[in-house]
Amino acid sequence: MTTDTTTQLPPEGRRIAFVGKGGSGKSTIIGFLLGHFAAKGIDAAAMDADEPGDEENGSLVEWSEVVDLAGPVYPAPSRSHLRDRAAKLTPAHGILAIDTGAWIRKAGNTHYAVLSAVDLVVLTLAPTRMELNRAGSVLAALDHLADVGAHCPRLVIALTMVNTSAASGDETADALRDGGYTVLDTRIPRSDARDGYAQVFGRVPPIVTGSPMDKLADELLAEVVR
Ligand SMILES: Nc1ncnc2c1ncn2[C@@H]1O[C@H](COP(=O)(O)OP(=O)(O)O)[C@@H](O)[C@H]1O
Ligand SMILES: [Mg+2]
């Protein structure tokens, strides 16, 4: 799908924000996606709108300072400039992925600035009841934008940290789809193995065709070209 998709992305490119609870895998996913998009011939960059210090591993910017993530990672400007800067930093015919800090109870203003700057929002969600309850505030924020007539990006939900031997992934996906939400087919499994996702921060992400991260890249491309 490499060449086709590239030609379908508009000259101004597309922007995708990743929101969700701290620890749901946002930064790790973006680290992989930069490599997978590049491998498909798509120019990709990232903007890091995370507030420093609220997660174990550090930020996407810090990761990009120790290894080549296959695309540039820019720190976010102040929120009043975020939307313009994001547009300028989006590669032509390419993708800008925006990482955000933990979405705790209610969104901060930076989160709203990010939502106003993107075409697509990916909510990363571990499939447990507790996480599902917390996700309500993200969904409410998007409803609020729609209600006040503000720019409201489309939302898709990516199940992350999925225990592939448990039924919770299917149950959560069914419940969300019944509620009218779009749940991506691709699920990112929890992987704590020595060469797994849990260990990749600070290293070059392995780019494997057909892997969950590769499929996620394909699904997101399909979402933003349509
Ligand atoms: N699929 C996964 N399986 C297991 N551990 C993961 C996975 N994705 C990320 N991690 C680990 O979980 C922690 C949170 O991931 P991170 O990407 O920083 O989440 P976020 O950016 O949403 O806070 C990190 O220690 C990371 O290495
Ligand atoms: Mg993060």
Side-chain angles (χ1 to χ4, degrees), residues 6-168:
T6 310
T7 53
Q8 284 167 28
L9 279 172
E12 70 274 21
R14 292 288 194 223
R15 285 176 290 286
I16 307 175
F18 291 78
V19 305
K21 210 196 94 176
S24 57
K26 299 178 292 293
S27 302
T28 302
I29 287 172
I30 294 174
F32 274 87
L33 287 179
L34 289 174
H36 282 284
F37 288 142
K40 295 170 197 298
I42 291 155
D43 267 351
M47 179 186 272
D48 186 354
D50 194 357
E51 299 86 42
D54 71 352
E55 63 199 299
E56 269 176 64
N57 270 336
S59 69
L60 200 59
V61 163
E62 285 164 353
W63 190 1
S64 75
E65 282 164 354
V66 282
V67 296
D68 180 3
L69 286 177
V73 177
Y74 307 103
S78 65
R79 62 174 189 265
S80 57
H81 295 115
L82 197 145
R83 188 179 171 162
D84 283 349
R85 186 72 59 79
K88 291 201 180 87
L89 293 175
T90 307
H93 298 280
I95 290 188
L96 182 76
I98 306 185
D99 197 10
T100 64
W103 188 298
I104 312 160
R105 272 168 273 127
K106 70 197 257 303
N109 290 323
T110 302
H111 287 101
Y112 277 103
V114 170
L115 295 181
S116 79
V118 300
D119 305 290
L120 182 73
V121 176
V122 180
L123 169 63
T124 53
L125 182 73
T128 68
R129 183 172 296 273
M130 195 180 78
E131 302 300 308
L132 201 53
N133 290 340
R134 291 197 198 191
S137 66
V138 179
L139 306 175
L142 289 167
D143 285 345
H144 173 69
L145 289 178
D147 286 348
V148 299
H151 166 78
C152 183
R154 225 155 47 78
L155 168 76
V156 297
I157 297 171
L159 296 183
T160 61
M161 304 283 177
V162 177
N163 177 350
T164 48
S165 62
S168 54

